[in-house]
Amino acid sequence: MLNYAEQVANDLLTIGAVKFSPEKPFTWASGIKSPIYTDNRMTIGYPKVRQNIYEGLAALIQESFGDVEIIGGVATAGIPHAAWVSEKLNKPMIYVRSKPKDHGAGRQTEGAVTTGKKVVLIDDLISTGGSVLAAVEAIRKEGANVLGVVSIFSYELSEGLTNFTNAKLTFKSLTTYSQLVAIAIERGELNKSQLKTLQNWQQNPNKWQL
């Protein structure tokens, strides 16, 4: 997976889906201050970039979860990538909302029937894992056997690792924080001082300060 990891990391930097600002941190929706911001939703606007992603995700799923029967996308950012991967692998697809609909049949999952089936869920990125693990729990209640989670990018935060361990679930990412930072340094987009800031943040993002 190394070639895909490097290619996708370069792609994310090239299209501006990942931005670094160690001196003027971003504020995430959770309130966390961060020297990095990732918007993988941008990738759907670049045909070659999204192709590299879905081919990489498909290869990663075949390598790690070869007996998968259904590909799932977590709403909303995981849905397009799940569609391309399910087409690539010729597998049925589902998508999972953040909560059940408040009208009609009140469904939270749409697409293939998951009862008794082996499912892999796709999300665009993993930070603490909260949203995708909620989706996992939702389809487990429907009787799905969730083999694991894959994402385009992972921040490699200890909280996320702990949450997946507690959920007894494996997750894999096409490219990671450490890989992306290393490539950004190769490209001359970060210096050693900025690298130290990024490393300090990753070790404890909830308490990080400039």
Side-chain angles (χ1 to χ4, degrees):
M1 297 309 300
L2 182 59
N3 289 340
Y4 281 117
E6 291 181 350
Q7 180 62 62
V8 171
N10 269 298
D11 287 343
L12 296 179
L13 290 166
T14 297
I15 68 173
V18 174
K19 294 180 173 64
F20 298 106
S21 184
E23 292 78 22
K24 297 179 67 176
F26 302 98
T27 302
W28 289 1
S30 62
I32 290 177
K33 299 289 185 182
S34 171
I36 179 174
Y37 179 72
T38 306
D39 182 5
N40 286 335
R41 292 165 296 187
M42 291 179 61
T43 61
I44 66 175
Y46 297 83
K48 183 56 181 174
V49 172
R50 71 190 190 210
Q51 181 181 359
N52 290 336
I53 288 170
Y54 75 69
E55 288 183 348
L57 289 173
L60 181 59
I61 290 170
Q62 288 179 309
E63 178 184 284
S64 303
F65 310 106
D67 54 347
V68 62
E69 296 174 290
I70 295 175
I71 303 298
V74 179
T76 57
I79 293 175
H81 301 288
W84 290 313
V85 170
S86 64
E87 181 70 13
K88 175 78 175 178
L89 297 179
N90 193 30
K91 300 288 185 183
M93 178 189 157
I94 62 169
Y95 70 84
V96 189
R97 297 183 179 88
S98 58
K99 59 183 180 180
K101 290 173 66 177
D102 58 4
H103 59 279
R107 293 178 59 86
Q108 187 168 357
T109 303
E110 301 289 356
V113 175
T114 59
T115 305
K117 298 295 185 178
K118 298 172 182 176
V119 180
V120 171
L121 284 183
I122 295 175
D123 207 350
D124 68 323
L125 62 84
I126 301 293
S127 53
T128 63
S131 60
V132 72
L133 288 173
V136 167
E137 185 61 25
I139 63 172
R140 278 177 169 171
K141 288 179 179 178
E142 296 180 359
N145 174 13
V146 183
L147 300 181
V149 168
V150 298
S151 66
I152 300 169
F153 175 73
S154 168
Y155 282 104
E156 300 177 294
L157 300 182
S158 59
E159 184 178 352
L161 178 60
T162 298
N163 289 339
F164 275 94
T165 299
N166 291 341
K168 298 180 172 59
L169 195 67
T170 299
F171 79 94
K172 304 281 186 177
S173 288
L174 194 52
T175 192
T176 64
Y177 186 85
S178 55
Q179 290 169 327
L180 191 140
V181 168
I183 288 176
I185 290 171
E186 288 179 10
R187 290 165 57 109
E189 298 184 21
L190 291 171
N191 59 41
K192 290 184 178 180
S193 173
Q194 292 169 322
L195 170 61
K196 186 64 176 177
T197 298
L198 288 157
Q199 290 172 333
N200 289 340
W201 172 83
Q202 189 193 29
Q203 291 168 7
N204 198 341
N206 292 303
K207 296 183 178 179
W208 176 77
Q209 295 181 349
L210 275 175

